[in-house]
Amino acid sequence: MGDHEWTGSLSYAGDILASRSYNDVRSGRAPMSAAALSARTLPNFDLGNLGQASSDKGSQQGGSPQRTPSERTAYNGANTGAISTEKPGMHETIEDVEITGTRKLWTFITWLLTWWIPSPFLNWCGRMKRPDVRMAWREKVAICIIILFIWCVLLFVIIGLGLILCPKEYVWTMEDIAGHNSPDDAYVALRGRVYDISEYVNQKHGTSSYQASKDLMMMYAGQDVNVSFPISVRVACPSLVSPKADPKYSMYLTVADINAMQTFPFTHKVGTLSSSKELSDQSFYARYVLPTMNLFKKGDVVWDYDWVKSMHKDQGKYWRVINQEVFNMEDYFATIDSPINTDDKWRFLNNHIENIFDDKGAGSTDITDEWERIPWGPRERQANYNCMKNLFYVGKVDDRQSVRCLFTNYMLLAFACVLMAIVLVKFLTALQFGNKRRPVPPSKFVVCQVPCYTEDEASLVKTIESLAGLDYNDKKKLIFMICDGNIVGSGNDRSTPRIVLDILGVDPEYDPPGRDYLAIAEGSRRHNIGKVYSGLYEFEGHVVPFMVVVKVGTPDEANRSGNRGKRDSQILLMSFFNK
């Protein structure tokens, strides 16, 4: 029989074994032994590209002539791991494959991401002599860069985007400030600012005749202390109140909240303490209070817009919002409505401002648009704004619960809901209701690959029996075992190939010829020799064809003969399919 008659014999070995065995069973004949069946089906199987009969039969029947070892081990160039019987360089063809647009785009992206890595460096340092190897390396680096970029985008969305849309603010509500009322944690609010006076209360205050003890200072903790630091109208609004109207800086607004007046033990009003040099200065607040308190500043006071709106609409208070700043004009309207306002000198603000605030609840709480439409010049506008900021400013609108600040939270919540929905859908689709239906038996051929190295007999028996007992058509499955070397495992009394063959019932006297093939290794270890056994394995009524490939190695190997690794075993199986 010639070489060409055995080409592709391995590809159809499973079908041949299955068909012969089952034909014997149906015809009433006893199944052949593993050795006999191996001899009849694959008497001289070659792991190379072209299977051949034994050299003796080939010579007698006019088959292929005897070849030298170098001719038998020449690589066929098809990247299948097989061996060609032709000499190197014979019958080689080069196929021109058109480069697709997708490949061109990926190549462009790869170079765009890895241009900074010079090819001479890869050639010299990485020992990548071939251009295709360097390109493959660049593609891997490009993929890593893309993955890193995606990670950065996700981190930006989770962390950075929220800080951009809603920068971190150091703000407190009055409820927050009220909780800081202990000697070690004392906060106060003064004209829209928050100050930590925990250390300030321990210092000496007042004059020799009027000492302010720590206990008296702690009465301010957790409070809004605006009432305790009144400012003269002429000092706060120098452009709106002339010296003629208030020559002695004696114009102070009437406090609308009487209870607030009784909260604090002392009012820091200019002129109330003659023994104090500071309280004799008309610029007491700007020159002494603010510079000292700014040393302990923590942030701003914030108010919930709905609360401000409730003060305006439900309680008729003069609380309004201008450009996200909150103003409380209660003292102003309490003053102009009091008996002391005999000549309207207390109406120092623009009359349009009074009309906007005194809207009887009909207008909007946020009067920014109305403020912008007031017909006045820049100087007058700035003068009125500065006056209001010095006397009536109480803080800013709390926007920490706005859509802008909660956007990233909503987005992450949406992502979580999508993931949970996917998990739920998968869970529901995995549920089976009613009677369980037996699946339709599949009709495809399957190969169960089992790589072996140093396993013991018990684990091998368990593996082989589990594969043989699979609920699958025995005619369409093949147990393909590869013994990676003629090695005796620890605790075994026989080599792994011998254990496998004994389990499968192969005749110990049967010794098929070794066949050369090209392994995945370096140097002389690329040349390897394998032996092929085949037959049928019976287990609990199953009769399953099997095939065993034993890597025995070359005669020159003394240590781990035939062992080339599992990747080489995988390539062997792929070569089996490429026949």
Side-chain angles (χ1 to χ4, degrees):
M1 184 178 295
D3 291 348
H4 62 280
E5 297 181 47
W6 289 100
T7 302
S9 59
L10 180 57
S11 301
Y12 303 100
D15 296 344
I16 295 173
L17 292 172
S19 61
R20 287 191 179 184
S21 175
Y22 278 86
N23 287 337
D24 290 344
V25 173
R26 285 194 294 270
S27 62
R29 297 193 299 269
M32 292 179 290
S33 65
L37 186 58
S38 300
R40 291 184 58 181
T41 56
L42 296 172
N44 292 297
F45 177 75
D46 190 355
L47 293 178
N49 187 42
L50 299 175
Q52 63 178 10
S54 65
S55 59
D56 294 340
K57 291 185 178 181
S59 301
Q60 295 172 2
Q61 299 182 15
S64 300
Q66 295 291 327
R67 294 177 174 85
T68 64
S70 61
E71 292 175 329
R72 291 198 304 267
T73 59
Y75 183 57
N76 68 355
N79 293 330
T80 62
I83 302 300
S84 173
T85 56
E86 301 295 341
K87 293 183 178 180
M90 297 178 62
H91 306 293
E92 293 183 352
T93 59
I94 298 176
E95 181 181 0
D96 292 331
V97 181
E98 182 182 357
I99 300 178
T100 63
T102 304
R103 177 62 186 174
K104 292 179 180 178
L105 177 60
W106 172 241
T107 302
F108 173 76
I109 295 175
T110 300
W111 277 104
L112 185 65
L113 297 176
T114 63
W115 60 268
W116 48 274
I117 308 176
S119 295
F121 174 79
L122 299 178
N123 187 8
W124 173 73
C125 185
R127 297 183 180 180
M128 304 177 191
K129 307 299 182 182
R130 291 164 43 188
D132 57 333
V133 175
R134 292 195 295 268
M135 188 61 189
W137 187 87
R138 289 182 182 275
E139 291 178 1
K140 294 177 182 178
V141 174
I143 292 174
C144 293
I145 293 175
I146 292 174
I147 294 174
L148 179 62
F149 174 75
I150 295 175
W151 286 350
C152 294
V153 171
L154 291 177
L155 288 176
F156 171 76
V157 171
I158 295 173
I159 302 175
L161 184 60
L163 295 177
I164 293 176
L165 295 178
C166 185
K168 186 176 181 180
E169 297 179 292
Y170 296 93
V171 294
W172 285 263
T173 63
M174 287 306 302
E175 290 78 8
D176 298 332
I177 297 172
H180 296 269
N181 58 359
S182 64
D184 297 330
D185 184 23
Y187 283 17
V188 296
L190 176 61
R191 304 204 180 279
R193 304 287 189 270
V194 181
Y195 303 94
D196 182 2
I197 61 172
S198 304
E199 298 178 355
Y200 183 69
V201 296
N202 297 321
Q203 309 303 315
K204 182 180 179 181
H205 303 285
T207 63
S208 57
S209 60
Y210 194 94
Q211 290 287 340
S213 65
K214 183 176 181 179
D215 293 337
L216 291 177
M217 295 287 293
M218 284 303 301
M219 297 180 65
Y220 292 87
Q223 304 288 335
D224 185 332
V225 297
N226 287 351
V227 175
S228 183
F229 292 88
I231 303 177
S232 168
V233 174
R234 181 181 169 187
V235 172
C237 311
S239 299
L240 302 180
V241 179
S242 63
K244 181 179 179 180
D246 185 20
K248 297 182 179 181
Y249 295 92
S250 60
M251 290 179 61
Y252 286 89
L253 293 174
T254 301
V255 179
D257 188 359
I258 303 299
N259 295 327
M261 291 288 296
Q262 303 173 356
T263 303
F264 307 110
F266 185 77
T267 300
H268 299 77
K269 188 176 182 180
V270 175
T272 56
L273 194 61
S274 58
S275 60
S276 173
K277 175 183 176 182
E278 291 82 358
L279 280 177
S280 300
D281 190 344
Q282 296 296 336
S283 300
F284 166 73
Y285 184 80
R287 185 172 295 176
Y288 298 103
V289 176
L290 282 182
T292 301
M293 296 302 291
N294 283 337
L295 299 175
F296 307 97
K297 182 180 177 181
K298 300 297 292 184
D300 296 293
V301 180
V302 291
W303 303 85
D304 182 69
Y305 180 81
D306 291 335
W307 186 89
V308 177
K309 184 177 180 179
S310 175
M311 294 293 288
H312 170 211
K313 298 290 186 179
D314 300 335
Q315 300 187 34
K317 302 294 183 179
Y318 298 99
W319 286 68
R320 299 294 187 273
V321 176
I322 302 176
N323 292 321
Q324 297 297 305
E325 294 180 334
V326 181
F327 294 91
N328 177 13
M329 298 276 285
E330 284 292 304
D331 292 351
Y332 179 80
F333 284 94
T335 303
I336 63 177
D337 293 338
S338 67
I340 64 173
N341 187 25
T342 57
D343 54 359
D344 285 344
K345 69 176 182 178
W346 295 96
R347 293 182 180 272
F348 49 85
L349 291 178
N350 186 286
N351 63 325
H352 290 90
I353 297 178
E354 294 184 19
N355 295 333
I356 294 173
F357 273 80
D358 192 15
D359 60 358
K360 311 303 181 184
S364 173
T365 303
D366 188 343
I367 59 173
T368 303
D369 294 337
E370 290 81 354
W371 175 271
E372 297 294 339
R373 289 196 294 265
I374 294 177
W376 51 15
R379 295 183 62 181
E380 184 181 3
R381 172 177 175 171
Q382 190 63 39
N384 280 266
Y385 174 77
N386 292 338
C387 179
M388 293 178 60
K389 192 70 178 286
N390 292 331
L391 291 176
F392 311 116
Y393 175 76
V394 293
K396 300 189 300 184
V397 175
D398 189 359
D399 60 354
R400 290 176 295 178
Q401 301 300 318
S402 63
V403 175
R404 176 173 60 88
C405 289
L406 298 178
F407 172 75
T408 53
N409 293 341
Y410 294 148
M411 183 176 61
L412 293 178
L413 179 61
F415 288 161
C417 292
V418 171
L419 292 177
M420 290 298 297
I422 293 174
V423 173
L424 180 62
V425 170
K426 288 187 175 182
F427 172 76
L428 294 177
T429 54
L431 295 178
Q432 295 183 353
F433 301 97
N435 296 329
K436 183 178 180 181
R437 298 181 179 179
R438 293 182 62 85
V440 178
S443 59
K444 295 183 179 181
F445 288 90
V446 296
V447 176
C448 304
Q449 182 190 11
V450 182
C452 308
Y453 183 48
T454 58
E455 291 78 7
D456 58 11
E457 184 172 1
S459 62
L460 290 172
V461 170
K462 185 176 180 180
T463 300
I464 295 174
E465 290 181 351
S466 65
L467 294 176
L470 286 176
D471 188 13
Y472 201 89
N473 190 344
D474 293 342
K475 294 182 180 180
K476 296 188 176 182
K477 66 181 178 183
L478 170 67
I479 300 178
F480 194 100
M481 306 192 68
I482 302 178
C483 299
D484 193 14
N486 194 18
I487 299 173
V488 179
S490 177
N492 294 338
D493 57 354
R494 293 162 292 168
S495 65
T496 302
R498 188 67 264 165
I499 295 175
V500 171
L501 295 175
D502 290 345
I503 295 172
L504 296 173
V506 177
D507 187 356
E509 301 297 328
Y510 176 66
D511 185 21
R515 300 299 178 185
D516 304 296
Y517 80 96
L518 190 64
I520 299 179
E522 298 293 334
S524 61
R525 292 182 61 84
R526 297 188 67 189
H527 176 210
N528 202 0
I529 298 176
K531 293 185 177 182
V532 180
Y533 302 81
S534 60
L536 295 174
Y537 179 71
E538 298 184 13
F539 174 73
E540 296 183 352
H542 294 273
V543 182
V544 184
F546 69 84
M547 185 172 295
V548 180
V549 177
V550 180
K551 304 177 187 177
V552 297
T554 62
D556 299 333
E557 297 183 36
N559 183 26
R560 296 192 304 171
S561 59
N563 175 247
R564 299 295 188 271
K566 290 181 180 176
R567 187 171 62 158
D568 177 66
S569 301
Q570 188 69 30
I571 296 299
L572 255 179
L573 181 60
M574 294 174 63
S575 302
F576 172 78
F577 289 121
N578 286 336
K579 295 295 181 182

